[in-house]
Amino acid sequence: MSNLELPVLGQDDPAACCSPMVRQPLGEEAAVDMAKMFKALSDPVRLRLLSLIASHEGGEACVCDLTGPFDVSQPTISHHLKVLRQAGLVGSERRGTWVYYWVLPAALARLSSLLDAPARAGGSR
C-alpha cells in the first residue's frame, strides 16, 4: 500500500460547502450560520448598506460615504454595520479616523449557493 495523499477537491471554493436546499437538507450548524446572515439582511437599511458597499467604486466604502443616503442617525448606521460585520457579511478596517467596509465574497457565495435552484423542465410550480 502507498502512503500517497490524495487532495480533496473543492475545499478552497466557499460555495462548495453549502449544497442548495433542493439537493440535500441543511445541517443544524449550517442553518444557524446561514440564519444569522439572512436575519442581518432582513432589515431594509442593512440590505441597502450591503448593496451600497458592494457597488461602491473600488469595492469598499468609507463609513463617511454610507450615512448620506439614509434618514437615520450616524449611530444607527454604525449599529447596522456592526450587525452586518457580526453576521460575516462585511469586513472592516480603521484607517485614521474613518472605518472602511467591504463585502466578503465568500459570504455572498454561500448565500447564493444555498438559494441556487435548478430550473425545472416545463416551468415553475
Side-chain angles (χ1 to χ4, degrees):
M1 270 197 160
S2 171
N3 288 337
L4 181 65
E5 290 185 61
L6 296 175
V8 178
L9 300 177
Q11 287 186 330
D12 53 353
D13 180 7
C17 73
C18 305
S19 298
M21 289 187 290
V22 297
R23 292 194 198 115
Q24 71 183 44
L26 197 58
E28 184 177 344
E29 187 176 327
V32 169
D33 290 341
M34 299 299 285
K36 287 177 188 175
M37 287 191 263
F38 282 115
K39 186 175 180 180
L41 292 176
S42 69
D43 183 281
V45 172
R46 290 193 287 265
L47 188 57
R48 286 185 60 208
L49 277 169
L50 187 74
S51 176
L52 280 170
I53 295 166
S55 63
H56 202 270
E57 188 175 331
E60 64 179 30
C62 174
V63 69
C64 61
D65 297 324
L66 300 173
T67 56
F70 299 96
D71 191 24
V72 296
S73 67
Q74 188 278 326
T76 301
I77 294 295
S78 292
H79 165 74
H80 286 305
L81 289 166
K82 178 182 175 183
V83 171
L84 290 172
R85 196 177 66 248
Q86 289 175 335
L89 293 165
V90 298
S92 65
E93 177 182 69
R94 179 170 293 281
R95 298 180 194 155
T97 58
W98 298 109
V99 178
Y100 287 79
Y101 292 87
W102 58 89
V103 173
L104 298 173
L108 295 185
R110 287 184 69 199
L111 290 170
S112 69
S113 173
L114 179 69
L115 298 174
D116 184 29
R120 293 183 180 195
S124 63
R125 290 186 177 181

